[in-house]
């Protein structure tokens, strides 16, 4: 699937994020369980899946046949960024056929001494035809990623960097400002807890939305109910 076809496929839709990290209830060391969450997402009608780890990209592509936005979360010494932070992870995602590769495009410190601009330039030179998604936390980072030639800008990291707004809801204003500025699809992601919020993100100008925790992370879902009841 080429870039234009992918963008048309996801336009105005909900992309389901299926991720489980070590220490979470649905993470099983022996075998990926995320293909089951992806199966549910496909049955519900999602046009694509976002997932982390090489094994989950492979399992979900085999199970669903849907386009996959792949990433690898890894924390290296000296790196504040942790979403596909080095070429090693990019190479692995390309090798298993990830349809889109998501990378941390925040302006935080990198342990290799390079800037994110230098890293993205290297990725683009090595993989000129890859569809690259920038995970950013601020308007300035989103514009920078767009100018670097990223194909998609996602608000994934808003609220997860020290300098971005700490909200318990989507960053609608960030989506709106980016959608008015950049010429590539803006994907709204992060803290979309309820269906009406997903609709509002699209109304703010997002090309599509990614919803993960509210669908595929049972611990997070359960805590939201339990905390609300306990605070009454």
């Amino acid at each position: 699937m080429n870039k234009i076809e992918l963008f048309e496929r996801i336009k105005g839709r909900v992309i389901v994020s299926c991720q489980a990290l070590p220490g979470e209830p649905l993470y099983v060391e022996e075998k990926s369980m995320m293909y089951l969450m992806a199966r549910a997402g496909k049955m519900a009608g999602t046009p694509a899946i976002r997932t982390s780890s090489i094994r989950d990209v492979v399992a979900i592509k085999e199970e669903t046949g849907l386009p996959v936005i792949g990433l690898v979360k890894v924390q290296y010494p000296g790196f504040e960024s942790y979403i596909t932070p080095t070429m090693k992870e990019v190479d692995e995602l390309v090798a298993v056929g990830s349809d889109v590769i998501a990378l941390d495009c925040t302006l935080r410190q990198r342990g290799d001494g390079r800037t994110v601009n230098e890293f993205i330039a290297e990725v683009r030179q090595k993989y000129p035809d890859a569809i690259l998604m920038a995970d950013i936390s601020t308007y300035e980072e989103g514009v920078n990623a767009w100018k670097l030639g990223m194909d998609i800008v996602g608000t994934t990291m808003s609220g997860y960097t020290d300098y971005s707004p700490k909200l318990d809801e989507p960053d609608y204003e960030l989506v709106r400002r980016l959608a008015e500025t950049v010429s590539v699809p803006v994907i709204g992601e992060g803290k979309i807890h309820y269906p009406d919020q997903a609709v509002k993100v699209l109304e703010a100008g997002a090309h599509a939305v990614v919803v993960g925790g509210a669908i595929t992370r049972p611990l997070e879902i359960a805590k939201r109910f339990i905390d609300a009841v306990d605070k009454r």
Side-chain angles (χ1 to χ4, degrees):
M1 181 174 298
N2 65 39
K3 185 164 58 176
I4 301 304
E5 291 172 336
L6 176 68
F7 291 171
E8 185 60 32
R9 180 187 182 95
I10 66 174
K11 185 176 181 180
R13 307 284 299 282
V14 174
I15 298 165
V16 176
S17 179
C18 302
Q19 301 184 41
L21 301 176
E24 294 184 352
L26 292 187
Y27 182 84
V28 178
E29 191 70 39
E30 297 77 20
K31 182 182 179 182
S32 168
M33 294 290 104
M34 285 299 99
Y35 76 94
L36 295 172
M37 285 293 185
R39 181 189 296 174
K42 181 178 182 179
M43 291 174 68
T46 189
I49 300 289
R50 177 173 162 117
T51 194
S52 62
S53 85
I54 299 304
R55 72 173 193 171
D56 287 349
V57 170
V58 172
I60 288 170
K61 285 181 70 69
E62 288 179 352
E63 168 66 30
T64 68
L66 294 173
V68 170
I69 301 171
L71 58 120
V72 177
K73 291 183 177 178
V74 57
Q75 192 71 67
Y76 290 121
F79 279 76
E80 293 179 313
S81 56
Y82 56 86
I83 296 177
T84 321
T86 75
M87 191 63 76
K88 175 181 181 294
E89 291 77 48
V90 175
D91 290 340
E92 291 171 344
L93 288 166
V94 170
V96 295
S98 185
D99 300 274
V100 179
I101 297 173
L103 307 102
D104 191 312
C105 284
T106 63
L107 299 177
R108 295 179 296 173
Q109 180 178 335
R110 292 179 52 85
D112 57 11
R114 291 185 296 172
T115 66
V116 67
N117 292 31
E118 291 169 334
F119 173 57
I120 296 304
E122 181 184 2
V123 173
R124 181 56 80 193
Q125 182 177 17
K126 188 171 185 179
Y127 298 110
D129 298 324
I131 304 175
L132 304 180
M133 176 175 175
D135 289 346
I136 56 86
S137 69
T138 66
Y139 174 77
E140 292 73 21
E141 290 173 346
V143 172
N144 182 62
W146 166 52
K147 290 180 177 178
L148 288 174
M150 298 295 285
D151 301 293
I152 301 168
V153 174
T155 61
T156 318
M157 297 302 295
S158 177
Y160 296 99
T161 57
D162 293 340
Y163 47 84
S164 57
K166 303 300 183 285
L167 307 171
D168 190 31
E169 64 177 3
D171 196 337
Y172 302 112
E173 180 64 11
L174 176 58
V175 170
R176 183 191 65 77
R177 291 183 69 197
L178 286 172
E180 290 176 350
T181 303
V182 306
S183 61
V184 297
V186 174
I187 291 186
E189 181 175 5
K191 303 184 180 181
I192 302 175
H193 303 310
Y194 308 106
D196 65 307
Q197 292 177 327
V199 172
K200 287 175 66 176
V201 170
L202 289 171
E203 291 174 345
H207 185 84
V209 297
V210 170
V211 182
I215 298 174
T216 61
R217 284 187 160 166
L219 176 60
E220 181 178 320
I221 298 166
K223 277 188 59 61
R224 189 170 298 115
F225 279 91
I226 291 168
D227 290 348
V229 170
D230 288 347
K231 290 175 182 176
R232 76 191 191 283

